[in-house]
Amino acid sequence: GAVVSQHPSRVICKSGTSVKIECRSLDFQATTMFWYRQFPKQSLMLMATSNEGSKATYEQGVEKDKFLINHASLTLSTLTVTSAHPEDSSFYICSAEPDRGRETQYFGPGTRLLVL
Amino acid sequence: SQQGEEDPQALSIQEGENATMNCSYKTSINNLQWYRQNSGRGLVHLILIRSNEREKHSGRLRVTLDTSKKSSSLLITASRAADTASYFCAPFNQAGTALIFGKGTTLSVSS
């Protein structure tokens, strides 16, 4: 089956630093990937849609300068949380839509971010 | 994209019992997908049912779709403790659009 990986799986950082999270589709190409965040016991909230070769589309209320998204290849999208603060602590999950058979999406295992 | 709404929000059963959870949505779809999320993990794709299908099976899972009522149900038969997780439905309209999730159904299966 289609596999999506995320790296790192968990990260602890100091307030004010930047953290980069990678999302890779391992066995398929994905022009389109999505980034979500999830707070404890809540649902996934869509943050942005990432398209290879173009700017990401951000959901309302998501700061594009705070959450930088780069989709540099058909198998890799990165989310950088800039100048992280404790309120950015969350579970970040990506998903990828296969270019072939574009009727479903596959999710990564998530990245747990803790900002101290 | 549209959001699916799962019902009930929480369900507690004993091992061996069947678990049924429901999903409602608002507008037309191409397909509807069910995902499972174990605590602290990513989402696992369980099953996809297309708009022209009424029922689909995969192992112990049975999914139905009623497009006239804009609803779907997921039945897990002979549940196991390992089925304990949150379950989400996701109506899918168009390629390139994100799946939007509701609050899900939290299933607890006790042994």
Side-chain angles (χ1 to χ4, degrees):
Chain A
V3 178
V4 175
S5 70
Q6 279 184 243
H7 177 79
S9 58
R10 59 177 62 216
V11 57
I12 301 174
C13 69
K14 292 182 179 179
S15 188
T17 60
S18 294
V19 174
K20 180 186 284 188
I21 302 170
E22 293 184 349
C23 177
R24 290 182 189 274
S25 56
L26 297 186
D27 49 2
F28 62 93
Q29 292 187 331
T31 300
T32 304
M33 294 185 178
F34 305 94
W35 286 96
Y36 298 80
R37 67 187 295 182
Q38 185 179 33
F39 292 106
K41 299 190 188 303
Q42 295 191 21
S43 187
L44 283 76
M45 287 174 39
L46 178 67
M47 298 175 68
T49 300
S50 170
N51 289 296
E52 189 268 338
S54 63
K55 290 184 179 179
T57 303
Y58 290 82
E59 295 299 299
Q60 192 172 11
V62 179
E63 300 174 58
K64 60 182 68 174
D65 295 330
K66 171 82 173 167
F67 299 99
L68 299 178
I69 291 173
N70 183 21
H71 195 147
S73 78
L74 290 175
T75 58
L76 173 64
S77 175
T78 60
L79 168 69
T80 301
V81 183
T82 62
S83 186
H85 291 285
E87 57 265 29
D88 298 324
S89 299
S90 188
F91 192 53
Y92 292 87
I93 304 177
C94 72
S95 70
E97 180 182 273
D99 286 350
R100 295 183 65 181
R102 301 179 66 194
E103 58 177 3
T104 191
Q105 291 159 23
Y106 297 97
F107 286 77
T111 295
R112 176 79 56 194
L113 171 63
L114 177 61
V115 184
L116 302 177
Chain B
S1 301
Q2 62 172 312
Q3 178 178 313
E5 296 289 347
E6 297 88 357
D7 174 68
Q9 286 194 24
L11 182 60
S12 294
I13 58 174
Q14 298 285 322
E15 260 191 332
E17 294 180 338
N18 296 341
T20 300
M21 47 205 91
N22 303 297
C23 169
S24 60
Y25 58 93
K26 290 188 167 54
T27 62
S28 62
I29 58 173
N30 282 328
N31 67 56
L32 187 138
Q33 302 170 46
W34 285 90
Y35 289 83
R36 183 186 74 219
Q37 183 181 34
N38 289 80
S39 181
R41 303 289 185 92
L43 271 69
V44 174
H45 186 265
L46 292 177
I47 196 165
L48 178 156
I49 185 165
R50 295 185 175 83
S51 60
N52 61 352
E53 297 175 311
R54 291 297 166 258
E55 187 171 311
K56 202 163 184 179
H57 296 254
S58 177
R60 294 185 295 112
L61 304 181
R62 176 178 155 241
V63 168
T64 63
L65 179 65
D66 187 336
T67 53
S68 66
K69 295 181 179 178
K70 294 185 171 56
S71 67
S72 174
S73 68
L74 171 66
L75 168 69
I76 303 174
T77 60
S79 63
R80 305 167 182 167
D83 295 327
T84 294
S86 291
Y87 292 82
F88 298 91
C89 69
F92 185 81
N93 292 7
Q94 181 181 350
T97 60
L99 298 177
I100 305 297
F101 295 94
K103 296 179 180 178
T105 292
T106 300
L107 173 65
S108 298
V109 182
S110 52
S111 54

